[in-house]
Amino acid sequence: MFKKLLQSLSDAVEFRSRIWVVHISESFLKDQSFVVNEDQFSSPLSWMKSRGYPKTMLDKVETMKRSQVLVVELGETTHQLMRVK
């Protein structure tokens, strides 16, 4: 039981400390970049959920390691995510 409590606390701290750099490319002339810091959110992956990431992509983002890059295609846009912390 103590191990489960420690794991829950560790997971909560881990989600709060995650940071991504997200580059969204919509066309040749239109793109945006964001720094997404989960410390400002009340639940994991809130920013990605609000952007319409499907469950399969959320699962992949959830398991990303530091310095890992993931490319997500959402309709006409390409999202490139890099976990930096």
Side-chain angles (χ1 to χ4, degrees), residues 26-44:
E26 296 182 43
S27 68
F28 179 70
L29 298 174
K30 187 174 182 186
D31 61 353
Q32 303 172 328
S33 295
F34 302 91
V35 175
V36 179
N37 182 348
E38 285 207 323
D39 190 35
Q40 301 168 2
F41 300 124
S42 60
S43 64

Side-chain angles (χ1 to χ4, degrees), residues 45-68:
L45 306 177
S46 296
W47 189 89
M48 288 76 170
K49 290 175 185 175
S50 71
R51 296 289 177 152
Y53 285 36
K55 172 85 169 101
T56 54
M57 286 299 146
L58 291 172
D59 292 341
K60 290 179 181 178
V61 173
E62 184 70 43
T63 60
M64 287 177 71
K65 305 291 183 209
R66 289 183 182 109
S67 300
Q68 184 178 353

